[in-house]
DNA sequence: CTCCTAATCTGAATGATGTCAAGATAGAGG
DNA sequence: CCTCTATCTTGACATCATTCAGATTAGGAG
């Protein structure tokens, strides 16, 4: 189907075309909607409305509602990656790098709960053009895996991936439970608990030397 | 389009009433639909259709679609609890109890992925009559917490809950990532990996003695 | 046994959604 | 200047959640 993007060198600062770059505008609109509504799922029509176009317009830029969400999820993973990199940078020890990354991961999810949830929507991963999504997701996991490998030089190579996945799963679960408020009635002050939990998880990475 | 059912004077000895126990029948219908469809979200109308009543009938037994899902989720937690108890029973060591529970937890999620997801739907937890749901959920967590406490007699009491929550989060994240197939392209044979991951998690419980 | 009340179910209606099929439009290239 | 094509709009369809008024029935009161 239609797939044109860079029409002209997008010289004019204003909208030169029907809309200029609707694809981008739709992603931004969806992003802002996701940021506002906590947990409610956004409708494609509402995204179009916010972008100032009719409800069928998005179908000229995205095959599907899931495709739009996939783009939104992709931006989310990029943001996650940059946050993780920023958190790990300028830490002296490997251990503090891991700890900082774990905290940053959970913090990201807590700061943008809806966005984080979109990033893991099952129908989004099954979307058609989830190529970029996979790449971004792998990149985020790669950051973690890298540190895990360096933190466990004595362990077998295959165990590295298992431990990294387990650590990722732990952070993922912690983020989701926290977002859902599933453990708020147990911990009125969740921040302290989250820090402690992150420490427990990073400790698991070191301690997982296999029995 | 509508769906006439047992119109005439109770043709069969089956249903004696309008339906007998529609509330129960709706839950069963939803359960079977959830079991069939992998990941697709069920519609209230379809549940009613399968139960053989019109689509407005459920509103006399459930305030909301979320209320029905809450009942479904509640059954899920009960099933989880019994599976965890069965797994932990007849294990000699505390360590093998923990290990068996972790494996059973992930196995439950893998066997009934859609049901597991319903159990953690955000709109379900916010449902009106989520009283029983909370109780069932707490009971499941209690099973885990109990073992964690017994496994770490030297640690501070407040740390017990943090470690238990962290372990639960790890299992939860592992289950979700596994359900979503998020790590299938990394591990073509996930079973082995899941076992190893569970061992890593149970190891974390023992090792989390605080720094 | 009859009749009445309240619980239960049906049918239509409302407003919203995702998606598609034709028409309208405006910029690009000849 | 005129056509071509991607882009956008309008209209339409099927589905959904939810509500409401009315029909039906169960089970107790008389």
């Amino acid at each position: 189907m239609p797939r044109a993007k860079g029409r002209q060198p997008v010289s004019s600062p204003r909208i030169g075309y029907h809309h200029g770059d609707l694809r981008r505008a739709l992603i931004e609109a969806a992003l802002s909607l996701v940021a506002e509504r906590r947990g409610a799922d956004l409708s494609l029509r509402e995204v179009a409305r916010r972008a100032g176009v009719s409800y069928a317009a998005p179908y000229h830029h995205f095959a599907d509602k899931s495709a739009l969400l996939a783009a939104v999820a992709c931006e989310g993973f990029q943001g996650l990656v940059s946050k993780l990199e920023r958190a790990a940078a300028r830490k002296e020890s490997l251990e503090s790098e891991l700890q900082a990354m774990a905290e940053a991961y959970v913090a990201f999810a807590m700061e943008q709960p809806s966005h984080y949830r979109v990033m893991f929507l099952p129908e989004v991963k099954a979307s058609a053009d989830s190529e970029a999504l996979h790449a971004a997701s792998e990149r985020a996991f790669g950051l973690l895996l890298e540190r895990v490998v360096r933190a466990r030089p004595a362990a077998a190579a295959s165990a590295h991936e298992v431990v990294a996945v387990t650590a990722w799963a732990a952070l993922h679960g912690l983020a989701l439970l926290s977002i859902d408020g599933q453990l708020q009635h147990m911990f009125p002050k969740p921040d302290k608990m989250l820090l402690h939990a992150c420490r427990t998880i990073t400790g698991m990475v070191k301690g997982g030397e296999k029995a």
Side-chain angles (χ1 to χ4, degrees), chain A:
Chain A
M1 309 295 251
R3 204 84 197 110
K5 176 60 184 314
R7 187 127 286 31
Q8 281 194 28
V10 74
S11 49
S12 78
R14 292 248 170 244
I15 51 172
Y17 201 50
H18 277 208
H19 191 109
D21 189 355
L22 218 204
R23 182 185 166 89
R24 187 66 224 162
L26 287 170
I27 295 179
E28 304 271 356
L31 238 17
S32 73
L33 276 175
V34 162
E36 291 170 16
R37 330 249 257 186
R38 304 265 136 176
D41 54 348
L42 76 175
S43 74
L44 226 202
R45 285 166 117 101
E46 191 168 11
V47 174
R49 225 173 290 146
R50 172 157 301 199
V53 293
S54 75
Y55 41 80
Y59 287 93
H60 291 266
H61 299 271
F62 298 96
D64 211 337
K65 179 185 178 181
S66 303
L68 207 205
L69 290 181
V72 169
C74 195
E75 305 245 330
F77 274 107
Q78 289 169 216
L80 214 209
V81 164
S82 78
K83 185 173 182 108
L84 290 182
E85 282 173 341
R86 232 176 313 131
R90 256 176 291 178
K91 292 285 174 184
E92 58 289 346
S93 75
L94 230 182
E95 197 158 350
S96 57
E97 268 189 22
L98 262 174
Q99 178 66 23
M101 276 181 60
E103 291 172 13
Y105 190 100
V106 176
F108 178 90
M110 294 291 285
E111 287 159 10
Q112 329 202 0
S114 303
H115 201 168
Y116 184 81
R117 224 189 295 265
V118 169
M119 288 159 59
F120 290 92
L121 245 33
E123 75 255 31
V124 164
K125 198 200 61 235
S127 180
D129 66 332
S130 58
E131 201 57 34
L133 217 195
H134 270 107
S137 150
E138 297 260 346
R139 188 139 162 259
F141 177 70
L143 288 180
L144 183 60
L145 177 58
E146 189 184 328
R147 264 78 181 183
V148 168
V149 169
R150 280 199 279 147
R152 311 172 65 249
S158 73
H160 289 327
E161 289 200 333
V162 174
V163 171
V165 161
T166 307
W168 178 30
L171 292 173
H172 183 55
L174 199 62
L176 285 181
L177 291 180
S178 200
I179 286 174
D180 291 355
Q182 212 100 25
L183 28 77
Q184 262 180 349
H185 69 111
M186 230 180 313
F187 297 95
K189 188 91 178 62
D191 294 353
K192 266 278 187 255
M193 185 274 287
L194 288 178
L195 284 190
H196 204 135
C198 286
R199 204 155 358 178
T200 305
I201 292 169
T202 58
M204 174 182 71
V205 172
K206 300 291 290 280
E209 302 286 335
K210 184 75 168 31

